[in-house]
Amino acid sequence: AVVSTQSGHYGRGNHIFHAKCFKPSAAQVIDDQIYCSNCKHLVPKKYNPFKHMIDCEIENNDPCIQKISDVLEQCNDYPHKDLNTLITPHMQNNFSTIFQNIDGNKTNFDAFSLELDRVAKKFQIIGLAETNICTEEGNVYQ
């Protein structure tokens, strides 16, 4: 799905072409790779702000940063059915927690609550972080 980095003169100026279908494309760089507009949706979206702190050519990277980056790179999205299949056995006899930076309690709490209802087993502790509050709302979230 990666486009060729070969640029060709097409009409006015240089364009990047998708290697598979050889069509001009609105290319986008994702994780240091170039993807055409037809393929960029196929790239899994991962949040890893530590990835660019790791230098692959240096062996002495900070081991904590390396571990965090590795964990985030291995994260996967799961449909609810698969997630329930994966976590239910672990939640049977273990303490279960979930933490979410809800980023807007007023607008996102209902969606978060619905997502929790889709999980087969209930979490024993639910932690929420809310940073988008006004001074007058401060007492609500204590």
Side-chain angles (χ1 to χ4, degrees), residues 3-57:
V3 299
S4 93
T5 55
Q6 197 175 23
S7 294
H9 191 73
Y10 180 82
R12 288 182 272 152
N14 290 327
H15 296 274
I16 295 177
F17 294 89
H18 182 239
K20 198 172 189 178
C21 61
F22 201 70
K23 292 181 183 175
S25 177
Q28 182 177 355
V29 176
I30 303 171
D31 290 332
D32 300 324
Q33 297 290 323
I34 303 171
Y35 293 88
C36 71
S37 59
N38 293 331
C39 295
K40 65 184 178 185
H41 74 279
L42 300 172
V43 180
K45 292 176 178 69
K46 294 188 176 193
Y47 175 73
N48 186 354
F50 302 97
K51 185 175 183 175
H52 296 290
M53 295 177 171
I54 305 297
D55 187 344
C56 296
E57 296 178 15

Side-chain angles (χ1 to χ4, degrees), residues 11-106:
R12 288 182 272 152
N14 290 327
H15 296 274
I16 295 177
F17 294 89
H18 182 239
K20 198 172 189 178
C21 61
F22 201 70
K23 292 181 183 175
S25 177
Q28 182 177 355
V29 176
I30 303 171
D31 290 332
D32 300 324
Q33 297 290 323
I34 303 171
Y35 293 88
C36 71
S37 59
N38 293 331
C39 295
K40 65 184 178 185
H41 74 279
L42 300 172
V43 180
K45 292 176 178 69
K46 294 188 176 193
Y47 175 73
N48 186 354
F50 302 97
K51 185 175 183 175
H52 296 290
M53 295 177 171
I54 305 297
D55 187 344
C56 296
E57 296 178 15
I58 297 176
E59 291 182 26
N60 295 336
N61 286 306
D62 183 317
C64 291
I65 299 292
Q66 182 70 55
K67 181 65 176 174
I68 293 168
S69 181
D70 292 346
V71 167
L72 291 172
E73 281 301 305
Q74 294 172 18
C75 286
N76 293 310
D77 288 331
Y78 295 99
H80 284 94
K81 181 181 175 187
D82 294 346
L83 179 65
N84 282 323
T85 301
L86 286 168
I87 67 172
T88 298
H90 300 287
M91 292 177 73
Q92 299 285 28
N93 299 317
N94 295 303
F95 188 70
S96 62
T97 65
I98 186 170
F99 177 82
Q100 176 72 37
N101 179 359
I102 200 157
D103 194 30
N105 191 50
K106 285 182 184 177

Side-chain angles (χ1 to χ4, degrees), residues 118-142:
R118 295 177 80 179
V119 177
K121 294 288 182 181
K122 301 305 170 206
F123 292 95
Q124 294 168 308
I125 293 180
I126 299 170
L128 297 175
E130 174 57 88
T131 56
N132 296 325
I133 58 171
C134 302
T135 305
E136 58 272 6
E137 296 174 321
N139 292 331
V140 177
Y141 299 106
Q142 290 185 2

